[in-house]
Amino acid sequence: MSSSLRFDRGHTDDLMAFLMAAPSPYHAVAAAAARLEKAGFRQVEETDAWDGSLGGKYVLRGGAIVAWYVPEGAGAHTPFRIVGAHTDSPNLRVKPLPDTGAYGWRQVAVEVYGGTLLNTWLDRDLGLAGRLSLRDGTHQLVNIDRPLLRVPQLAVHLDRSANPEGLKLDRQKHMQPIWGLGDVEEGDLIRFVAEAAGVDPAEVTGWDLMPHAVEAPAYLGRDRELVAGPRMDNLLSVHAATAALAAVSAQPDAELPYIPVLAAFDHEENGSQSDTGADGPLLGTVLERSVFARGGSYEDRARAFAGSVCLSSDTGHAVHPNYAERHDPTHHPVVNGGPILKVNVNMRYATDGGGRAVYAAACEKAGVPWQTFVSNNSMPCGTTIGPITAARHGIRTVDIGVAILSMHSARELCGADDPYLLANSLTAFLAG
């Protein structure tokens, strides 16, 4: 592999900017859409009639985006090459009645979303972001990207058991952040957020808000060979897939035997069962409408799906130097070693031998090294949108990703080279 491929940090610099621009799933899809717009894609509304025109298009629904590029010469039965990812990350979410507090402290009532590492949210400077739903049915993004909230940890003097026995956190009692002093006033938080968003508080009828760490991503290590930052699981994959789709759309159409697709879903961290999750109908509906808009029949749809392949791209576990016994003894993925193929014979990952061959070919075409991840047999294996996509749509699916440390922490750690290596492999895959 050439050094120019392995050590190009421009992509990683842009990833860090993307992470900062995407403190919520709604911001993530807006940031992805903005990048695709620059590449010539245009938004289509689900409520409009679709035509069979060529080029790049995308659909936004809540915290999900599906984008695709139809090259010249594509038939109604042309198969799809899909990269799937998810936009959500484990965190804290603001409750419907958010104003709370006690003993002169003003607090925000939050609920725990997904399998977050609770202790990583303690004593961090937190902003607040998400969307406000307005009386007229529209939504307004908001991002208060300054220290506003903090979940204070109990002093060791008041919990002498914290160090020898380990910190014990109650999800209800101990995770409510403070945001000021004084008496609790109903409606105060939403008034504050609405004013920050430039909307009339009286017009706000709903909200989807979440705290986020305001500390910027940063290179780390003696040679800056690592990157620390928030929401890498799984915005790292969303960013790489967006870059790959934009790159493929810029290639001559004659070189594209497939229709390349990006599908970034919400709610993966709590099961994907929503209208914007991978277990919902969004992807299948978009792909079918694309076939039918180009004059295709159900037979064309069946042929297209049968020849399609999906890469489910999500972060995975690098071998942890302090807990190596938790990993499979013969599979030790390392950071900056290239993307990982995830394998689980019980189909917690969707990869099979044929799928491995497809991704291996893409990596070889791109000159990208790849590794294999398998869970320790004594440990439960996580899962992804991969098995859901394969089962729901009957599309061959392969689980891949980038190996990281501190997964589900408020601040995760990856190799500085791996995001670029992943993006290059995805570009080669989408291009066929």
Side-chain angles (χ1 to χ4, degrees), residues 154-211:
L154 184 64
V156 69
H157 313 79
L158 303 178
D159 185 8
R160 297 289 184 180
S161 66
N163 284 331
E165 297 179 14
L167 181 65
K168 295 180 175 61
L169 294 172
D170 184 283
R171 294 159 65 95
Q172 177 64 40
K173 295 193 299 181
H174 299 151
M175 297 306 299
Q176 311 306 314
I178 60 173
W179 76 299
L181 301 173
D183 297 331
V184 177
E185 185 177 348
E186 185 178 351
D188 196 30
L189 178 72
I190 299 306
R191 280 193 295 272
F192 174 82
V193 174
E195 290 168 0
V199 301
D200 182 353
E203 295 302 308
V204 177
T205 55
W207 50 87
D208 301 281
L209 299 171
M210 56 206 75

Side-chain angles (χ1 to χ4, degrees), residues 81-83 241 244-246 248 256-262 311 362 425-432:
R81 280 285 176 103
I82 307 160
V83 177
L245 181 59
V248 168
L256 296 179
Y258 302 98
I259 295 174
V261 180
L262 158 67
L311 293 185
S425 74
L426 299 184
T427 301
F429 166 76
L430 290 176

Side-chain angles (χ1 to χ4, degrees), residues 268-352:
E268 189 272 348
E269 297 294 355
N270 62 8
S272 296
Q273 293 186 322
S274 71
D275 69 321
T276 53
D279 203 20
L282 179 59
L283 175 61
T285 299
V286 169
L287 298 184
E288 287 179 347
R289 291 185 68 178
S290 174
V291 170
F292 298 151
R294 285 177 280 119
S297 63
Y298 182 83
E299 180 73 9
D300 292 312
R301 177 262 188 215
R303 293 175 64 189
F305 277 44
S308 297
V309 183
C310 175
L311 293 185
S312 165
S313 182
D314 204 345
T315 54
H317 302 294
V319 61
H320 197 302
N322 299 338
Y323 301 91
E325 73 281 359
R326 304 295 181 96
H327 300 265
D328 183 84
T330 60
H331 295 79
H332 285 165
V334 296
V335 298
N336 288 335
I340 55 174
L341 263 166
K342 302 179 183 181
V343 178
N344 179 264
V345 295
N346 294 303
M347 300 309 294
R348 299 291 287 172
Y349 304 129
T351 309
D352 63 9

Side-chain angles (χ1 to χ4, degrees), residues 28-106:
V29 298
R35 283 164 163 74
L36 292 174
E37 289 276 354
K38 288 182 180 180
F41 285 67
R42 63 180 178 86
Q43 183 177 0
V44 293
E45 298 293 340
E46 292 186 83
T47 53
D48 292 342
W50 292 5
D51 59 42
S53 58
L54 306 179
K57 305 173 186 178
Y58 67 90
V59 166
L60 293 180
R61 183 193 288 186
I65 181 171
V66 179
W68 66 102
Y69 180 81
V70 181
E72 187 174 354
H77 61 273
T78 298
F80 300 95
R81 280 285 176 103
I82 307 160
V83 177
H86 67 88
T87 61
D88 60 320
S89 300
N91 60 6
L92 307 176
R93 303 287 177 103
V94 175
K95 289 184 176 180
L97 299 176
D99 298 291
T100 186
Y103 305 105
W105 296 99
R106 302 173 75 179

